[in-house]
Amino acid sequence: AFLVSAKESRFFGKDTTPDANFGRCIISSADTENQLYIAGETKNSNKEKGGPPLHIHYQDDEVFYVISGEFLFQLEDKIFMGKTGDTVFVPRGLAHTYANPVDNNPGELLIIHQPISPSLEKFYEVFCKLGYMNEKMLQENFEPEVLKDITKNNAFVGPPIDIEAALKKLKG
């Protein structure tokens, strides 16, 4: 049993002060024998609008809980707005993504993976420091065997949500 304070992170079961700009680990794969991972946000998580490309996790389910605010979500080809109190469940193998729709969004997400591989947690540890990474950044920040495991179990399958088009369509 342990407490993770709001100013701490716990990647790989080690309590640290997050130097992250984009998120923090609350419950680590190391805490749960790779059965659970919970991520929270930092004060800088939603300063800029945007989100990751459409992607698939082949070995884990993902859950998004909207603690506060509004966020865009995409499941396959369906895009919708998640609001305070909403939960989005993404079963493994389903193409999905999310996006912060506004700059300086005061909203907050809780993200859960179940189960999770240590390589995906390593990806999140680096992401939380650097943000979204292109192919070159991935090569520079991961050992080849870790990158191979990440890409075997996770795939980018489309672009990020076009925020302006999605907001226009949802209003119309």
Side-chain angles (χ1 to χ4, degrees):
F2 53 84
L3 167 72
V4 180
S5 79
K7 296 183 190 267
E8 290 181 321
S9 193
R10 194 171 168 78
F11 284 107
F12 300 101
K14 298 175 187 164
D15 291 327
T16 62
T17 301
D19 55 357
N21 290 319
F22 301 100
R24 65 188 190 97
C25 174
I26 298 171
I27 304 295
S28 168
S29 65
D31 298 322
T32 65
E33 297 179 354
N34 301 327
Q35 294 306 301
L36 181 67
Y37 170 85
I38 301 177
E41 297 187 330
T42 66
K43 64 181 180 174
N44 295 322
S45 295
N46 297 309
K47 284 197 178 246
E48 296 179 15
K49 64 182 171 181
L54 190 67
H55 59 279
I56 295 172
H57 304 292
Y58 293 109
Q59 295 184 331
D60 57 307
D61 300 325
E62 189 167 16
V63 178
F64 297 91
Y65 175 70
V66 182
I67 295 172
S68 61
E70 296 183 344
F71 295 87
L72 287 166
F73 293 92
Q74 181 175 349
L75 302 177
E76 297 286 342
D77 60 354
K78 181 182 178 192
I79 296 175
F80 57 92
M81 186 71 74
K83 299 177 181 181
T84 300
D86 289 349
T87 300
V88 178
F89 174 73
V90 184
R92 62 195 78 183
L94 186 79
H96 67 284
T97 191
Y98 69 97
N100 170 22
V102 295
D103 288 328
N104 298 307
N105 187 346
E108 186 175 358
L109 287 174
L110 187 72
I111 301 172
I112 301 166
H113 284 266
Q114 188 279 319
I116 187 163
S117 68
S119 62
L120 186 55
E121 183 169 338
K122 180 65 179 170
F123 173 84
Y124 287 133
E125 181 182 38
V126 174
F127 164 79
C128 284
K129 293 176 186 170
L130 301 179
Y132 300 112
M133 295 173 272
N134 61 32
E135 190 68 33
K136 182 178 183 226
M137 293 171 76
L138 289 170
Q139 304 271 335
E140 293 171 350
N141 286 283
F142 295 98
E143 296 295 323
E145 62 276 1
V146 173
L147 189 56
K148 182 179 177 185
D149 192 52
I150 291 169
T151 57
K152 177 180 84 174
N153 297 316
N154 306 278
F156 293 119
V157 295
I161 295 172
D162 180 333
I163 294 169
E164 302 312 320
L167 291 175
K168 185 177 180 182
K169 186 174 181 181
L170 290 172
K171 285 181 183 178

